[in-house]
Amino acid sequence: MIAILRRIGFLLTLLLLAPPAIAQERGPVVLAAASLQESLSEAADAWAAKGHPKPVLSFAASSALARQVIAGAPADLFLSADEPWMDAVAKAGMLRAGTRATLLGNRLVLIAPAASKLRLTPARGFPIARALGSGRLALADPDAVPAGKYAKAALTHLGVWGGVAAKVAPAENVRAAMALVERGAAPLGIVYATDARASKAVRVVGVFPASSHPPIRYPVALLKASRHKDAAAFRAFLFSREARAIFARHGFSHL
């Protein structure tokens, strides 16, 4: 966590210290949940194709990004993978009034390496601990990162958390958790459906019931300190029909 905070801070410091002529050419700085990498990058490309400076995107766990915003990191928009971390930024007085809105929704899935033949149906008491054997369950940090928190909530609701808690391999974000499964370092992992869709190295073993965890919502808001002329317009573009089609192609739902 400390390492990723330092990387984010270094990037944002470079942007802040850029020569004025260069800074004017860059687009708004967007801090976004790791699960948005492909979709938001495509949306930023579509925005830039209209003649706007391309937004500068920084992806990490929502928890790490929220802490950066609260610490005063220079940025224009924040896209979180859950409401609580956006709530924390709002409580710190860092959001521009009237700009917070829910952008996207997602699903939670159980994944295994692509070559695995395992199939499990997430349901009450399902045998995930037995399927793991001596292996580990890859999750984003269940104490802080949204994907991990959703996963823990689902496993708890289904009555199997107690059997797997000691086998969890916590990762700094959802993509890092998926990487453990991609490399075969973990036989199973829990990620968003959109993450699994973005990787050819994993396969979906089962889909968690939506009722087993809090709704997966991605809120977006402008930050109060933003001064970029395109920040509000890019936020509006993310709700446009064109951008919605991009997010839908990557598997996100709209709420």
Short mmCIF file of all heavy atoms in Angstrom, two decimals, residues 62-116:
data_model
loop_
_atom_site.label_atom_id
_atom_site.label_comp_id
_atom_site.label_asym_id
_atom_site.label_seq_id
_atom_site.Cartn_x
_atom_site.Cartn_y
_atom_site.Cartn_z
N SER A 62 -9.24 2.11 -5.09
CA SER A 62 -10.00 3.30 -4.68
C SER A 62 -9.55 3.82 -3.32
O SER A 62 -9.53 5.03 -3.09
CB SER A 62 -11.49 2.99 -4.64
OG SER A 62 -11.96 2.59 -5.92
N SER A 63 -9.19 2.90 -2.43
CA SER A 63 -8.73 3.30 -1.10
C SER A 63 -7.46 4.14 -1.18
O SER A 63 -7.35 5.19 -0.52
CB SER A 63 -8.47 2.06 -0.25
OG SER A 63 -7.62 1.13 -0.94
N ALA A 64 -6.51 3.72 -2.02
CA ALA A 64 -5.25 4.46 -2.16
C ALA A 64 -5.50 5.82 -2.79
O ALA A 64 -4.94 6.84 -2.37
CB ALA A 64 -4.26 3.66 -3.01
N LEU A 65 -6.36 5.86 -3.80
CA LEU A 65 -6.65 7.13 -4.48
C LEU A 65 -7.38 8.10 -3.55
O LEU A 65 -7.07 9.29 -3.54
CB LEU A 65 -7.49 6.85 -5.73
CG LEU A 65 -6.82 6.01 -6.81
CD1 LEU A 65 -7.81 5.67 -7.91
CD2 LEU A 65 -5.60 6.73 -7.39
N ALA A 66 -8.35 7.58 -2.81
CA ALA A 66 -9.09 8.45 -1.88
C ALA A 66 -8.15 9.08 -0.86
O ALA A 66 -8.26 10.28 -0.55
CB ALA A 66 -10.18 7.65 -1.18
N ARG A 67 -7.21 8.29 -0.36
CA ARG A 67 -6.26 8.83 0.61
C ARG A 67 -5.38 9.90 -0.03
O ARG A 67 -5.02 10.89 0.62
CB ARG A 67 -5.41 7.70 1.18
CG ARG A 67 -6.20 6.74 2.08
CD ARG A 67 -5.34 5.61 2.59
NE ARG A 67 -6.11 4.69 3.43
CZ ARG A 67 -6.17 3.38 3.23
NH1 ARG A 67 -5.53 2.82 2.22
NH2 ARG A 67 -6.88 2.62 4.04
N GLN A 68 -5.03 9.72 -1.29
CA GLN A 68 -4.25 10.73 -1.99
C GLN A 68 -5.04 12.04 -2.12
O GLN A 68 -4.50 13.12 -1.90
CB GLN A 68 -3.85 10.23 -3.39
CG GLN A 68 -2.69 9.24 -3.39
CD GLN A 68 -1.38 9.93 -3.08
OE1 GLN A 68 -1.09 11.00 -3.59
NE2 GLN A 68 -0.58 9.31 -2.22
N VAL A 69 -6.31 11.91 -2.50
CA VAL A 69 -7.15 13.11 -2.63
C VAL A 69 -7.26 13.83 -1.29
O VAL A 69 -7.10 15.05 -1.21
CB VAL A 69 -8.56 12.72 -3.14
CG1 VAL A 69 -9.48 13.95 -3.10
CG2 VAL A 69 -8.47 12.17 -4.56
N ILE A 70 -7.52 13.08 -0.23
CA ILE A 70 -7.67 13.68 1.09
C ILE A 70 -6.38 14.34 1.55
O ILE A 70 -6.40 15.36 2.25
CB ILE A 70 -8.13 12.59 2.10
CG1 ILE A 70 -9.56 12.14 1.75
CG2 ILE A 70 -8.07 13.11 3.53
CD1 ILE A 70 -10.02 10.92 2.50
N ALA A 71 -5.24 13.80 1.09
CA ALA A 71 -3.94 14.38 1.43
C ALA A 71 -3.61 15.60 0.60
O ALA A 71 -2.58 16.24 0.81
CB ALA A 71 -2.84 13.33 1.27
N GLY A 72 -4.47 15.92 -0.38
CA GLY A 72 -4.27 17.12 -1.18
C GLY A 72 -3.61 16.92 -2.52
O GLY A 72 -3.12 17.88 -3.12
N ALA A 73 -3.59 15.69 -3.02
CA ALA A 73 -2.98 15.44 -4.34
C ALA A 73 -3.70 16.25 -5.42
O ALA A 73 -4.92 16.36 -5.41
CB ALA A 73 -3.07 13.95 -4.66
N PRO A 74 -2.95 16.83 -6.35
CA PRO A 74 -3.55 17.63 -7.41
C PRO A 74 -4.24 16.76 -8.44
O PRO A 74 -3.59 15.98 -9.14
CB PRO A 74 -2.35 18.37 -8.01
CG PRO A 74 -1.19 17.46 -7.77
CD PRO A 74 -1.47 16.81 -6.44
N ALA A 75 -5.54 16.83 -8.55
CA ALA A 75 -6.30 16.03 -9.51
C ALA A 75 -7.62 16.74 -9.78
O ALA A 75 -8.00 17.68 -9.07
CB ALA A 75 -6.53 14.62 -8.99
N ASP A 76 -8.32 16.27 -10.82
CA ASP A 76 -9.56 16.93 -11.24
C ASP A 76 -10.81 16.09 -11.02
O ASP A 76 -11.86 16.61 -10.67
CB ASP A 76 -9.45 17.30 -12.72
CG ASP A 76 -8.30 18.26 -12.99
OD1 ASP A 76 -8.39 19.42 -12.55
OD2 ASP A 76 -7.30 17.83 -13.62
N LEU A 77 -10.71 14.78 -11.25
CA LEU A 77 -11.86 13.90 -11.06
C LEU A 77 -11.44 12.67 -10.28
O LEU A 77 -10.29 12.22 -10.37
CB LEU A 77 -12.43 13.42 -12.41
CG LEU A 77 -13.18 14.42 -13.28
CD1 LEU A 77 -12.22 15.06 -14.27
CD2 LEU A 77 -14.29 13.71 -14.05
N PHE A 78 -12.41 12.10 -9.56
CA PHE A 78 -12.19 10.86 -8.83
C PHE A 78 -13.31 9.90 -9.19
O PHE A 78 -14.48 10.25 -9.12
CB PHE A 78 -12.18 11.12 -7.32
CG PHE A 78 -12.06 9.89 -6.46
CD1 PHE A 78 -11.20 8.84 -6.79
CD2 PHE A 78 -12.81 9.77 -5.29
CE1 PHE A 78 -11.10 7.72 -5.98
CE2 PHE A 78 -12.71 8.65 -4.48
CZ PHE A 78 -11.85 7.62 -4.83
N LEU A 79 -12.93 8.69 -9.63
CA LEU A 79 -13.88 7.61 -9.91
C LEU A 79 -13.56 6.47 -8.97
O LEU A 79 -12.51 5.84 -9.06
CB LEU A 79 -13.77 7.12 -11.36
CG LEU A 79 -14.45 7.95 -12.44
CD1 LEU A 79 -13.56 9.12 -12.84
CD2 LEU A 79 -14.73 7.10 -13.66
N SER A 80 -14.48 6.18 -8.06
CA SER A 80 -14.29 5.14 -7.06
C SER A 80 -15.06 3.89 -7.45
O SER A 80 -16.06 3.96 -8.17
CB SER A 80 -14.79 5.64 -5.70
OG SER A 80 -14.77 4.62 -4.73
N ALA A 81 -14.61 2.73 -6.96
CA ALA A 81 -15.33 1.48 -7.20
C ALA A 81 -16.35 1.20 -6.10
O ALA A 81 -16.99 0.15 -6.12
CB ALA A 81 -14.35 0.32 -7.32
N ASP A 82 -16.50 2.11 -5.16
CA ASP A 82 -17.57 1.97 -4.17
C ASP A 82 -17.95 3.32 -3.60
O ASP A 82 -17.25 4.32 -3.79
CB ASP A 82 -17.21 0.97 -3.07
CG ASP A 82 -16.19 1.49 -2.04
OD1 ASP A 82 -15.66 2.61 -2.23
OD2 ASP A 82 -15.91 0.78 -1.07
N GLU A 83 -19.07 3.35 -2.93
CA GLU A 83 -19.58 4.59 -2.35
C GLU A 83 -18.82 5.02 -1.09
O GLU A 83 -18.57 6.22 -0.90
CB GLU A 83 -21.07 4.46 -2.03
CG GLU A 83 -21.95 4.17 -3.24
CD GLU A 83 -22.17 5.37 -4.14
OE1 GLU A 83 -21.65 6.46 -3.82
OE2 GLU A 83 -22.85 5.21 -5.17
N PRO A 84 -18.42 4.08 -0.21
CA PRO A 84 -17.77 4.50 1.04
C PRO A 84 -16.50 5.33 0.85
O PRO A 84 -16.28 6.29 1.60
CB PRO A 84 -17.47 3.16 1.74
CG PRO A 84 -18.56 2.26 1.29
CD PRO A 84 -18.76 2.62 -0.15
N TRP A 85 -15.66 4.99 -0.14
CA TRP A 85 -14.46 5.80 -0.33
C TRP A 85 -14.78 7.17 -0.93
O TRP A 85 -14.12 8.17 -0.62
CB TRP A 85 -13.43 5.06 -1.17
CG TRP A 85 -12.68 4.04 -0.36
CD1 TRP A 85 -12.73 2.69 -0.48
CD2 TRP A 85 -11.80 4.31 0.74
NE1 TRP A 85 -11.94 2.09 0.48
CE2 TRP A 85 -11.36 3.07 1.24
CE3 TRP A 85 -11.35 5.48 1.36
CZ2 TRP A 85 -10.49 2.95 2.33
CZ3 TRP A 85 -10.48 5.37 2.44
CH2 TRP A 85 -10.06 4.12 2.92
N MET A 86 -15.83 7.25 -1.74
CA MET A 86 -16.27 8.56 -2.19
C MET A 86 -16.86 9.33 -1.02
O MET A 86 -16.67 10.56 -0.90
CB MET A 86 -17.30 8.41 -3.32
CG MET A 86 -17.70 9.73 -3.97
SD MET A 86 -16.34 10.56 -4.86
CE MET A 86 -16.37 9.67 -6.41
N ASP A 87 -17.55 8.64 -0.12
CA ASP A 87 -18.07 9.28 1.08
C ASP A 87 -16.94 9.89 1.91
O ASP A 87 -17.08 10.99 2.47
CB ASP A 87 -18.83 8.26 1.95
CG ASP A 87 -20.14 7.81 1.33
OD1 ASP A 87 -20.64 8.49 0.41
OD2 ASP A 87 -20.65 6.75 1.77
N ALA A 88 -15.82 9.15 2.02
CA ALA A 88 -14.69 9.63 2.80
C ALA A 88 -14.12 10.92 2.21
O ALA A 88 -13.77 11.85 2.94
CB ALA A 88 -13.60 8.56 2.86
N VAL A 89 -14.04 10.96 0.88
CA VAL A 89 -13.53 12.17 0.21
C VAL A 89 -14.52 13.32 0.40
O VAL A 89 -14.12 14.47 0.63
CB VAL A 89 -13.27 11.89 -1.28
CG1 VAL A 89 -12.88 13.16 -2.02
CG2 VAL A 89 -12.17 10.84 -1.44
N ALA A 90 -15.80 13.01 0.33
CA ALA A 90 -16.82 14.04 0.55
C ALA A 90 -16.76 14.58 1.97
O ALA A 90 -16.85 15.80 2.20
CB ALA A 90 -18.21 13.47 0.25
N LYS A 91 -16.60 13.68 2.94
CA LYS A 91 -16.53 14.08 4.35
C LYS A 91 -15.34 15.00 4.60
O LYS A 91 -15.39 15.89 5.45
CB LYS A 91 -16.44 12.85 5.23
CG LYS A 91 -16.51 13.14 6.72
CD LYS A 91 -16.51 11.86 7.54
CE LYS A 91 -16.58 12.16 9.03
NZ LYS A 91 -16.60 10.91 9.85
N ALA A 92 -14.26 14.79 3.83
CA ALA A 92 -13.07 15.63 3.97
C ALA A 92 -13.23 16.98 3.27
O ALA A 92 -12.33 17.82 3.31
CB ALA A 92 -11.85 14.90 3.40
N GLY A 93 -14.39 17.17 2.62
CA GLY A 93 -14.67 18.45 1.97
C GLY A 93 -13.95 18.65 0.66
O GLY A 93 -13.72 19.79 0.24
N MET A 94 -13.62 17.55 -0.04
CA MET A 94 -12.81 17.65 -1.24
C MET A 94 -13.60 17.57 -2.55
O MET A 94 -13.03 17.69 -3.62
CB MET A 94 -11.76 16.52 -1.26
CG MET A 94 -10.93 16.44 0.01
SD MET A 94 -10.05 17.96 0.33
CE MET A 94 -8.38 17.47 -0.06
N LEU A 95 -14.93 17.36 -2.48
CA LEU A 95 -15.73 17.25 -3.70
C LEU A 95 -16.38 18.57 -4.06
O LEU A 95 -16.76 19.34 -3.19
CB LEU A 95 -16.82 16.19 -3.52
CG LEU A 95 -16.39 14.76 -3.21
CD1 LEU A 95 -17.60 13.85 -3.20
CD2 LEU A 95 -15.34 14.26 -4.20
N ARG A 96 -16.52 18.80 -5.36
CA ARG A 96 -17.25 19.98 -5.81
C ARG A 96 -18.75 19.69 -5.69
O ARG A 96 -19.24 18.67 -6.18
CB ARG A 96 -16.90 20.33 -7.26
CG ARG A 96 -17.56 21.64 -7.73
CD ARG A 96 -17.07 22.04 -9.10
NE ARG A 96 -15.63 22.30 -9.11
CZ ARG A 96 -14.94 22.63 -10.19
NH1 ARG A 96 -15.56 22.73 -11.36
NH2 ARG A 96 -13.65 22.86 -10.11
N ALA A 97 -19.46 20.55 -5.04
CA ALA A 97 -20.88 20.34 -4.77
C ALA A 97 -21.66 20.09 -6.05
O ALA A 97 -21.45 20.75 -7.06
CB ALA A 97 -21.45 21.55 -4.03
N GLY A 98 -22.57 19.13 -5.98
CA GLY A 98 -23.47 18.87 -7.09
C GLY A 98 -22.89 18.06 -8.23
O GLY A 98 -23.57 17.88 -9.26
N THR A 99 -21.66 17.54 -8.09
CA THR A 99 -21.05 16.82 -9.21
C THR A 99 -20.95 15.31 -8.98
O THR A 99 -20.54 14.58 -9.87
CB THR A 99 -19.64 17.35 -9.52
OG1 THR A 99 -18.75 17.06 -8.43
CG2 THR A 99 -19.67 18.86 -9.76
N ARG A 100 -21.32 14.85 -7.80
CA ARG A 100 -21.23 13.42 -7.53
C ARG A 100 -22.43 12.69 -8.14
O ARG A 100 -23.57 13.10 -7.96
CB ARG A 100 -21.17 13.16 -6.03
CG ARG A 100 -21.18 11.68 -5.65
CD ARG A 100 -21.02 11.50 -4.15
NE ARG A 100 -21.16 10.10 -3.76
CZ ARG A 100 -20.90 9.65 -2.54
NH1 ARG A 100 -20.51 10.50 -1.58
NH2 ARG A 100 -21.03 8.37 -2.25
N ALA A 101 -22.15 11.60 -8.85
CA ALA A 101 -23.21 10.81 -9.45
C ALA A 101 -22.71 9.39 -9.67
O ALA A 101 -21.50 9.17 -9.82
CB ALA A 101 -23.68 11.41 -10.77
N THR A 102 -23.62 8.44 -9.70
CA THR A 102 -23.25 7.05 -9.96
C THR A 102 -23.11 6.85 -11.46
O THR A 102 -24.03 7.14 -12.23
CB THR A 102 -24.30 6.08 -9.41
OG1 THR A 102 -24.40 6.26 -8.00
CG2 THR A 102 -23.91 4.64 -9.69
N LEU A 103 -21.96 6.35 -11.88
CA LEU A 103 -21.67 6.18 -13.30
C LEU A 103 -21.95 4.76 -13.79
O LEU A 103 -22.58 4.57 -14.84
CB LEU A 103 -20.20 6.54 -13.58
CG LEU A 103 -19.70 6.40 -15.02
CD1 LEU A 103 -20.46 7.35 -15.95
CD2 LEU A 103 -18.20 6.67 -15.09
N LEU A 104 -21.48 3.75 -13.05
CA LEU A 104 -21.50 2.39 -13.55
C LEU A 104 -21.84 1.38 -12.46
O LEU A 104 -21.77 1.68 -11.27
CB LEU A 104 -20.12 2.02 -14.13
CG LEU A 104 -19.58 2.88 -15.27
CD1 LEU A 104 -18.11 2.61 -15.49
CD2 LEU A 104 -20.38 2.61 -16.54
N GLY A 105 -22.13 0.15 -12.90
CA GLY A 105 -22.30 -0.97 -12.00
C GLY A 105 -21.48 -2.14 -12.49
O GLY A 105 -20.97 -2.14 -13.62
N ASN A 106 -21.32 -3.19 -11.67
CA ASN A 106 -20.49 -4.34 -12.01
C ASN A 106 -21.02 -5.58 -11.31
O ASN A 106 -21.96 -5.50 -10.51
CB ASN A 106 -19.03 -4.06 -11.63
CG ASN A 106 -18.03 -4.69 -12.58
OD1 ASN A 106 -18.29 -5.73 -13.19
ND2 ASN A 106 -16.86 -4.07 -12.71
N ARG A 107 -20.43 -6.74 -11.61
CA ARG A 107 -20.76 -7.99 -10.96
C ARG A 107 -19.49 -8.59 -10.36
O ARG A 107 -18.38 -8.28 -10.78
CB ARG A 107 -21.36 -8.99 -11.96
CG ARG A 107 -22.69 -8.59 -12.55
CD ARG A 107 -23.80 -8.50 -11.52
NE ARG A 107 -24.02 -9.74 -10.78
CZ ARG A 107 -24.81 -10.74 -11.17
NH1 ARG A 107 -25.47 -10.64 -12.32
NH2 ARG A 107 -24.96 -11.82 -10.43
N LEU A 108 -19.66 -9.48 -9.40
CA LEU A 108 -18.55 -10.13 -8.73
C LEU A 108 -18.48 -11.59 -9.19
O LEU A 108 -19.50 -12.28 -9.22
CB LEU A 108 -18.77 -10.08 -7.22
CG LEU A 108 -17.56 -10.24 -6.29
CD1 LEU A 108 -16.58 -9.09 -6.49
CD2 LEU A 108 -18.03 -10.30 -4.84
N VAL A 109 -17.27 -12.04 -9.58
CA VAL A 109 -17.13 -13.40 -10.09
C VAL A 109 -15.96 -14.13 -9.44
O VAL A 109 -15.02 -13.52 -8.93
CB VAL A 109 -16.93 -13.41 -11.63
CG1 VAL A 109 -18.13 -12.79 -12.33
CG2 VAL A 109 -15.65 -12.69 -12.03
N LEU A 110 -16.06 -15.44 -9.47
CA LEU A 110 -14.99 -16.32 -9.00
C LEU A 110 -14.22 -16.77 -10.23
O LEU A 110 -14.81 -17.22 -11.22
CB LEU A 110 -15.59 -17.52 -8.28
CG LEU A 110 -14.64 -18.52 -7.63
CD1 LEU A 110 -13.89 -17.88 -6.47
CD2 LEU A 110 -15.42 -19.75 -7.16
N ILE A 111 -12.88 -16.63 -10.20
CA ILE A 111 -12.07 -16.98 -11.36
C ILE A 111 -11.04 -18.05 -11.01
O ILE A 111 -10.67 -18.23 -9.86
CB ILE A 111 -11.35 -15.76 -11.95
CG1 ILE A 111 -10.43 -15.11 -10.91
CG2 ILE A 111 -12.35 -14.77 -12.53
CD1 ILE A 111 -9.48 -14.06 -11.48
N ALA A 112 -10.57 -18.73 -12.05
CA ALA A 112 -9.49 -19.71 -11.95
C ALA A 112 -8.60 -19.53 -13.17
O ALA A 112 -8.99 -18.84 -14.13
CB ALA A 112 -10.07 -21.12 -11.91
N PRO A 113 -7.41 -20.10 -13.18
CA PRO A 113 -6.56 -20.04 -14.38
C PRO A 113 -7.33 -20.60 -15.59
O PRO A 113 -8.18 -21.49 -15.44
CB PRO A 113 -5.36 -20.91 -14.03
CG PRO A 113 -5.28 -20.83 -12.53
CD PRO A 113 -6.71 -20.78 -12.07
N ALA A 114 -7.02 -20.10 -16.77
CA ALA A 114 -7.77 -20.47 -17.98
C ALA A 114 -7.80 -21.97 -18.22
O ALA A 114 -8.78 -22.51 -18.75
CB ALA A 114 -7.18 -19.74 -19.18
N ALA A 115 -6.74 -22.67 -17.84
CA ALA A 115 -6.67 -24.12 -18.08
C ALA A 115 -7.45 -24.94 -17.06
O ALA A 115 -7.63 -26.15 -17.23
CB ALA A 115 -5.21 -24.56 -18.10
N SER A 116 -7.92 -24.32 -16.00
CA SER A 116 -8.63 -25.05 -14.95
C SER A 116 -9.97 -25.60 -15.45
O SER A 116 -10.66 -24.96 -16.24
CB SER A 116 -8.88 -24.12 -13.76
OG SER A 116 -9.72 -24.73 -12.81
#
